[in-house]
């Protein structure tokens, strides 16, 4: 499948990225975001171009087709007795392999299982992993088809139950048929925070974790981490980056196997290829490092 050509837009002001970050994380309403973005432009046409470039276009984010011959994808349910009772997610397996392979839990952003995250799961399967991406919104019917409603839905759920659902998914995947008994976690934004948290709270379940631009695990849980961590941060993501120096002190203090990579000229969300925040060379570098990290720690 031929990937659509990226949208051609004028140079986007730095402030636009800051506005989108606030909007995407519930610190600004849609109306306020549109008004503020319009104020950055000299005319309505340019304002529309700025806004359209920042909002996700998921047609741009499909790197691996759902019917790619090298993978097999389906939706599967799992028990979550300490969470919402039942979870559901997108399971993708590589075809044409008889050997057991590592399993990767993919954790979405703060808006549910959108097409970008499903594509990330397919990319992992193409690389020879079993990937499973749960939808935190399943108790409410699942991802609604747009990110605005998805954010509202996710905010309406009890955080403790969401955490319990992802813990249940991790435990289920650790025993998954076809898996080699090794479990990795990769997550983005909210999912990045969840990846670190699962490593801290399920130290005997998670064997490697790659948080992309998420907040660190709670300080009092860092000492419990056993899994190696690869932390992926955008150089221009001031909000998240400010959270990591104190956490890094604790990681060093407790002799955690970790590495923090910072990607130049990259904003929060730089791996998400559905918006203008996408930094293709840095995203590709981060992804290749992610695959190498999982291969190193999950296949031995």
């Amino acid at each position: 499948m031929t990937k659509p050509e990226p949208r051609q837009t004028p140079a986007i002001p730095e402030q636009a990225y800051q506005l989108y970050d606030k909007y995407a994380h519930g610190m600004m309403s849609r109306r306020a975001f549109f008004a503020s973005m319009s104020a950055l432009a000299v005319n309505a046409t340019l304002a529309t171009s700025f806004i359209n470039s920042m909002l996700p276009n998921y047609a741009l984010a499909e790197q691996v087709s759902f019917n790619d011959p090298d993978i097999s994808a389906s939706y599967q349910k799992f028990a979550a007795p300490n969470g919402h009772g039942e979870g559901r997610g997108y399971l993708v397996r590589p075809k044409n392999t008889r050997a057991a392979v590592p399993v990767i839990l993919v954790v979405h952003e703060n808006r549910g299982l959108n097409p970008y995250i499903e594509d990330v799961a397919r990319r992992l399967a193409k690389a020879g992993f079993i990937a499973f991406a749960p939808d935190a919104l399943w108790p409410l019917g699942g991802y609604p088809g747009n990110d605005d409603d998805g954010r509202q839905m996710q905010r309406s759920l009890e955080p403790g139950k969401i955490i319990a659902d992802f813990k249940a998914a991790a435990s289920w995947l650790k025993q998954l048929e076809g898996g080699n008994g090794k479990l990795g976690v990769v997550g983005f934004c909210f999912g990045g925070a969840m990846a670190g948290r699962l490593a801290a709270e399920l130290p005997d379940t998670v064997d490697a974790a790659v948080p992309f631009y998420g907040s660190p695990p709670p300080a009092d849980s860092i000492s419990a981490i056993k899994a190696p961590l690869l932390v992926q941060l955008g150089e221009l993501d001031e909000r998240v980056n400010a959270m990591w120096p104190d956490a890094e002190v604790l990681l060093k203090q407790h002799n955690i196997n970790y590495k923090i990579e910072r990607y130049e000229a990259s904003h929060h969300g730089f791996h998400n290829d559905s918006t203008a925040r996408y930094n293709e060379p840095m995203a590709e570098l981060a992804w290749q490092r992610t695959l190498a990290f999982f291969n190193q720690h999950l296949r031995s």
Side-chain angles (χ1 to χ4, degrees):
M1 178 177 179
T2 303
K3 188 175 180 179
E5 290 296 320
R7 291 168 290 201
Q8 300 299 313
T9 60
I12 299 171
E14 182 64 28
Q15 191 177 352
Y17 294 100
Q18 299 168 9
L19 291 170
Y20 183 77
D21 189 62
K22 290 181 178 179
Y23 165 61
H25 293 91
M27 294 177 279
M28 174 180 282
S29 69
R30 183 178 178 87
R31 177 177 293 181
F33 170 67
F34 274 53
S36 298
M37 289 288 285
S38 296
L40 297 179
V42 296
N43 56 54
T45 300
L46 190 58
T48 299
S49 179
F50 284 167
I51 291 168
N52 287 341
S53 68
M54 298 305 297
L55 296 176
N57 179 347
Y58 288 123
L60 299 178
E62 186 176 84
Q63 295 188 20
V64 179
S65 172
F66 69 91
N67 59 5
D68 187 288
D70 293 332
I71 63 172
S72 174
S74 62
Y75 292 93
Q76 299 292 330
K77 295 178 181 178
F78 59 93
N82 296 319
H84 290 96
E86 179 185 79
R88 181 179 182 265
Y90 188 59
L91 181 68
V92 194
R93 294 176 179 269
K95 286 185 178 178
N96 304 319
T97 178
R98 295 182 181 179
V101 299
V103 181
I104 311 296
L105 174 62
V106 185
V107 190
H108 58 65
E109 303 146 311
N110 65 338
R111 62 211 70 170
L113 181 58
N114 60 35
Y116 155 65
I117 296 297
E118 290 191 340
D119 195 66
V120 169
R122 293 194 294 269
R123 297 173 206 176
L124 284 163
K126 280 283 285 188
F129 300 93
I130 297 172
F132 184 66
D135 189 353
L137 305 184
W138 176 241
L140 301 176
Y143 176 70
N146 71 85
D147 283 10
D148 278 338
D149 289 344
R151 274 189 291 268
Q152 293 292 336
M153 290 167 66
Q154 190 156 324
R155 281 199 294 267
S156 75
L157 292 169
E158 182 181 330
K161 287 193 174 184
I162 293 178
I163 294 169
D165 288 344
F166 279 101
K167 284 184 174 181
S171 297
W172 175 66
L173 290 172
K174 187 78 170 180
Q175 309 298 325
L176 189 71
E177 182 180 354
N180 70 352
K182 297 288 186 72
L183 177 68
V185 184
V186 62
F188 306 86
C189 186
F190 160 83
M194 184 64 70
R197 184 162 195 147
L198 291 175
E201 297 187 12
L202 297 176
D204 295 321
T205 301
V206 176
D207 297 293
V210 183
F212 273 76
Y213 33 81
S215 58
D220 61 0
S221 71
I222 286 178
S223 63
I225 295 174
K226 296 180 182 179
L229 303 180
L230 175 60
V231 181
Q232 312 271 40
L233 302 175
E235 180 185 48
L236 304 178
D237 188 2
E238 295 179 2
R239 179 180 58 83
V240 169
N241 293 351
M243 303 176 187
W244 276 95
D246 289 346
E248 190 168 11
V249 170
L250 294 174
L251 290 169
K252 290 178 179 177
Q253 178 182 322
H254 296 292
N255 297 312
I256 309 301
N257 180 358
Y258 81 97
K259 187 172 186 180
I260 297 178
E261 298 282 8
R262 292 178 172 84
Y263 295 87
E264 63 182 27
S266 295
H267 293 89
H268 186 88
F270 72 89
H271 184 266
N272 187 332
D273 50 356
S274 70
T275 81
R277 298 175 300 166
Y278 179 52
N279 182 331
E280 184 173 3
M282 293 297 99
E284 182 59 25
L285 176 59
W287 188 245
Q288 292 307 316
R289 285 173 172 167
T290 298
L291 296 179
F293 181 80
F294 283 146
N295 280 320
Q296 176 186 355
H297 294 290
L298 301 179
R299 293 194 188 273
S300 59

